[in-house]
Amino acid sequence: MAGMDAIEVRGLRKTYRGHDAVRGIDLSVTRGEVFALLGPNGAGKTTTVEILEGHRKRSGGEVSVLGEDPGAAGRAWRARIGVVLQDAEDAADLTVTEMVRHIAGFYPDPRPVEEVIDLVGLTEKRKSKIRALSGGQRRRVDVALGMVGRPELLFLDEPTTGFDPAARRQFWDLIRTLAAEGTTILLTTHYLEEAEALADRLAVLAGGLIVAEGTPATLGGRAAAGAKVSWRHGGVQHTEQVTDPTELIRKLVAEEADLTTLTVTRPTLEDTYLQLIGVN
Amino acid sequence: MTAAAAVLPGTFANGVARGRVEIVQFLRDRTAVVFTFAFPAMLLLLFGTIFGDDYENSGISVAQVYTASMIAYGILNTGFITMGSGLALDREDGTLKRLHGTPITSTAYLLGKLILVFVLSVAEVATLLLVGVLVYDMPMPEASHWVTFAWLFLLSVIACTLCGIAVSALVKHARTAGAILNVPVVALQFISGVFIHPITQLPAWLITVASFFPVKWMSQGFRYVFLPDSMKRYEAAGQWELGRTAMVLGAWCVIGLVLCLLTFRWSEKDQ
Ligand SMILES: Nc1ncnc2c1ncn2[C@@H]1O[C@H](COP(=O)(O)OP(=O)(O)OP(=O)(O)O)[C@@H](O)[C@H]1O
Ligand SMILES: [Mg+2]
């Protein structure tokens, strides 16, 4: 399985005391790709990601991450991955700089500490104890610690939980920078616009199974789903569902219909997502 | 690919870095500092004041005997308790999981813990000796006794730390760590000649039980270091038994290390 892919998963299963959290999923993430894993609470995202990070044991299936089995990989492998866990409360009594410098010291070729702190926007808070940070700032420390070792592959489990809108945009830029440098990124998120903004490809996990996989534009047949065209004519509201709106609009123009109220809407990623996980 | 040429930092360097951070974190938690150091010192002051008489007409004050014995308790406190609960806490707050996501080795992590315990134990012993000297006029021993002190101290710290790490595997929640870990600690104080001395007041079978554990040997050894030679007649065997002390403590270091290697886990088991 040691091909070009950063992550190769075949038939992955995980059972917790009789509860099937992951029920046989296949996944492949190419090197340099940004891959997003979506899914409702309890879908099995964290379980999957932590198996790939080597934090949890799998119950079945084959997994290869950077060409190695995470359950058996050693230090050199760990030096090539970066991990941002879903929740951590450690190192509360250290300052931001102290903690980033400390973790950096475990890697062969870490990024400069100041640079990392600056990239996550914590320069002003670098001397604060981690205990004294707000939730979103604390999360940014986690992101800093995940990237300080210059990972080839970065795992981010709900990295932007608690970020304000500006911080989220800044984080997106950071992920794009890392991706441009060639870092492979696997992230989970509940924010559809985040997945749409960042991901080259994404998969939706529900009840431990992958229910859809694709690019943000094509997920769940979104591209083929067509468009809804609405307009008012003679005081009457018209709505038509069409695969390609071009013909219809040309016709309306020819009929000299009133087009000031014309709207063409496609299903948003969120519509598609909600449909996939069985809401609506 | 880029990292292939770079060399992973050594386990020793990482362990020292861990030790530094552990100490910084410990010192910033004021309650822990006060509790760890003040508690054995307070017990010593209490015992010394309550039983402050001449020890069985030996010309040595009871307080001096307690000072020597309490050093064993001090090390047990910093080694076993601090380590056992510290590890449970590291497991709970995600410290272990965070570190396991980096290339650090478990040896480096444990070395950091050992450094913390070592520094704490030195400070603890110094505090107790300070109380002994300032409050109870305890004379300092001659140089040869300090050599014994050095190996005794080292073996004690290592044995207690390793056992603390091993026992922490039984602790499910950091909240209950103190309560669980104190059970063996308090029980052993009573049967090992720390709180109750001469140990010969105890039933013979209880002394035999105590002899299987390190605390009896630790307190006996520290009494050798800090008390006149004549005091050996109050020991279980009427002798200081230094050779046997070294053997038992050495054995516990090995047992502790084996238990440690068998029980240490980076992550919690699945619930
Ligand atoms: N350590 C564990 N022990 C037992 N069951 C677990 C454990 N971790 C997760 N589970 C169960 O496995 C299922 C999947 O959990 P997981 O944490 O992977 O979901 P998730 O997709 O990350 O959810 P969220 O969006 O809330 O983070 C859930 O039903 C959860 O209760
Ligand atoms: Mg999760």
Side-chain angles (χ1 to χ4, degrees), chain A residues 16 19 21 39-48 56 86 157-158 190, chain B residues 269-271:
Chain A
Y16 298 108
H19 169 70
N41 293 138
K45 302 183 296 297
T46 299
T47 301
T48 304
R56 301 190 197 195
Q86 183 165 3
D157 198 355
E158 295 189 27
H190 287 298
Chain B
K269 291 234 185 71
D270 299 337
Q271 284 123 34

